[in-house]
Amino acid sequence: MRRTRARSAPRAAAALLAGLLLAGCGGGGYEPAGPFRPLPEGPPPQVGPPTATLPPPADPAQPGSGEEQGDPNVVASGLSVPTGLVLLPDGSAVVGERDTGRLLQVFPDRSPAVELMTVPGLDTSGDGGLLGLALSPTFLEDGLLFAYITTATDNRVVRFPIGGTPNPVLTGIPRGETGNGGALMTGADGHLYVGTGDTGDPALAADPESLAGKVLRIDVFGRAVQSLSPVYSWGYRDVTALCQDGERLYATDEAREGPDEVDIVQEDGPGVALLTVPAEEGGLGGCAVANGTVFLGALDGQRVHVITLDQNGVPVDGAVDEVLGGRYGRLRTVVLDAEGALWVTTSNHDGFGSPAEDDDKVLRIRPPGGQPNSPL
């Protein structure tokens, strides 16, 4: 993932709207070594709100809430490069730190964050580390999380219960100093979609026998779905986020030079550009979509882009706007919750931002309409 670009001035805030390929797929296709040795996953521990016996952190280096700083948009602070974020059925969220592998539970009422576990075995050189999270499609029954991580030898998808041992699901995704991808999403069809990068080698994105520069589709065991290959779509530079509205799947494709793209993911074909974002406004790292409105987290642009689509899924002329421009620095993951609120992670400790004392943060921006923490 490219991390350096020029800044641009913030724009006015807008209203927020509601195997062929390798033997590393699935059981038996990996070398059981190190922290990835298969162990019984067992039942998940109970995860709930913090209790009075869990005091708030004592210093900004530890995860806390936004209450001390008085910003009602901040639900957690003192994190280090939060990347993946998934919402739990109780309305709280699990967020992962790219460089440490820590998973923390954060709460919409701004209660102090709770550290759940640390994902082991990460290689954080370059732009690697813990790059994405997704819930199991049957989370209520099995309590499993999926993570996209970089190891010393590859990028891979692992699964685990909270507090449990990560087990490989899909291994052998090429890794590099840059362009590792890291998008992970549970699709409406119950399958996992995985966005990868070309690791700086564009030829890999067009190579049908490489998992690099692709959107992959697998089941929860890492097996290809209705195909011999997990490759679902190809021709990408660095897929940093995936989001879905109905049957349409979108991917943010970050460029090393020039504009970023938001692509429509086509099954058995290359991605089709929906729109481009200028380099100085880009560094796309997050994607959320609902009711024909797309939200894009921009690292270099330091904003959330808001794009309105017409009934045919085409961007409406003049209906491209932004929220949070320049307010919290570099913005990465964006996720919409059931109340229409937008969860956003900052990325000011990634080596290219200017971190405040309480960075990094998890934000929850409620939609307008009388809510006390609307940014508008």
Side-chain angles (χ1 to χ4, degrees):
M1 178 186 297
R2 185 189 65 258
R3 297 187 187 174
T4 56
R5 282 187 179 153
R7 307 286 196 270
S8 67
R11 298 164 56 197
L16 189 61
L17 306 177
L20 267 182
L21 300 178
L22 67 155
C25 305
Y30 55 86
E31 291 294 325
F36 305 102
R37 188 177 303 278
L39 294 175
E41 289 165 339
Q46 294 297 313
V47 177
T51 68
T53 60
L54 294 170
D59 63 77
Q62 298 298 320
S65 74
E67 191 166 356
E68 300 86 358
Q69 290 74 39
D71 186 339
N73 292 329
V74 179
V75 296
S77 59
L79 280 70
S80 178
V81 197
T83 47
L85 184 149
V86 292
L87 297 173
L88 297 179
D90 66 359
S92 66
V94 174
V95 61
E97 293 181 326
R98 188 192 68 193
D99 294 338
T100 69
R102 289 196 308 170
L103 300 183
L104 302 117
Q105 187 178 16
V106 298
F107 302 90
D109 66 0
R110 301 163 65 214
S111 298
V114 175
E115 185 170 346
L116 301 172
M117 64 177 289
T118 296
V119 178
L122 303 183
D123 184 327
T124 61
S125 59
D127 62 12
L130 193 160
L131 302 179
L133 290 173
L135 288 185
S136 164
T138 52
F139 179 81
L140 289 174
E141 290 75 36
D142 56 36
L144 293 176
L145 292 176
F146 291 81
Y148 184 113
I149 65 172
T150 307
T151 75
T153 58
D154 65 1
N155 289 298
R156 59 176 60 188
V157 178
V158 298
R159 73 177 184 190
F160 49 90
I162 295 172
T165 300
N167 287 312
V169 173
L170 178 66
T171 63
I173 301 170
R175 68 175 297 279
E177 284 299 302
T178 60
N180 286 295
L184 191 58
M185 187 194 77
T186 302
D189 56 7
H191 300 308
L192 290 176
Y193 290 82
V194 185
T196 72
D198 65 11
T199 69
D201 183 357
L204 293 179
D207 183 353
E209 296 190 2
S210 174
L211 298 183
K214 307 295 193 300
V215 174
L216 313 174
R217 181 177 66 173
I218 55 175
D219 66 16
V220 295
F221 302 104
R223 300 174 301 204
V225 178
Q226 298 177 340
S227 173
L228 295 175
S229 164
V231 173
Y232 184 78
S233 184
W234 59 82
Y236 301 91
R237 299 164 297 189
D238 193 11
V239 181
T240 55
L242 294 164
C243 56
Q244 186 173 27
D245 192 12
E247 295 183 356
R248 178 168 284 190
L249 182 64
Y250 301 94
T252 59
D253 191 11
E254 192 184 12
R256 283 172 291 279
E257 296 180 357
D260 293 342
E261 288 182 357
V262 178
D263 293 336
I264 301 171
V265 178
Q266 301 277 6
E267 183 175 5
D268 296 326
V272 176
L274 175 72
L275 59 95
T276 60
V277 176
E280 66 274 12
E281 299 177 7
L284 300 183
C287 177
V289 59
N291 302 319
T293 302
V294 181
F295 303 87
L296 305 171
L299 293 161
D300 302 326
Q302 299 190 10
R303 68 194 70 182
V304 174
H305 295 278
V306 184
I307 296 95
T308 302
L309 307 179
D310 65 19
Q311 61 184 1
N312 297 315
V314 177
V316 176
D317 288 342
V320 178
D321 227 309
E322 68 174 65
V323 293
L324 306 182
R327 185 170 177 181
Y328 294 101
R330 294 165 65 82
L331 303 181
R332 188 185 294 266
T333 306
V334 292
V335 177
L336 280 165
D337 68 18
E339 296 181 1
L342 194 67
W343 295 67
V344 184
T345 68
T346 73
S347 189
N348 294 315
H349 275 291
D350 62 5
F352 298 94
S354 300
E357 184 179 1
D358 56 346
D359 271 327
D360 275 307
K361 305 177 183 74
V362 178
L363 313 172
R364 182 175 184 264
I365 313 299
R366 296 185 188 177
Q371 298 292 351
N373 66 343
S374 169
L376 307 177

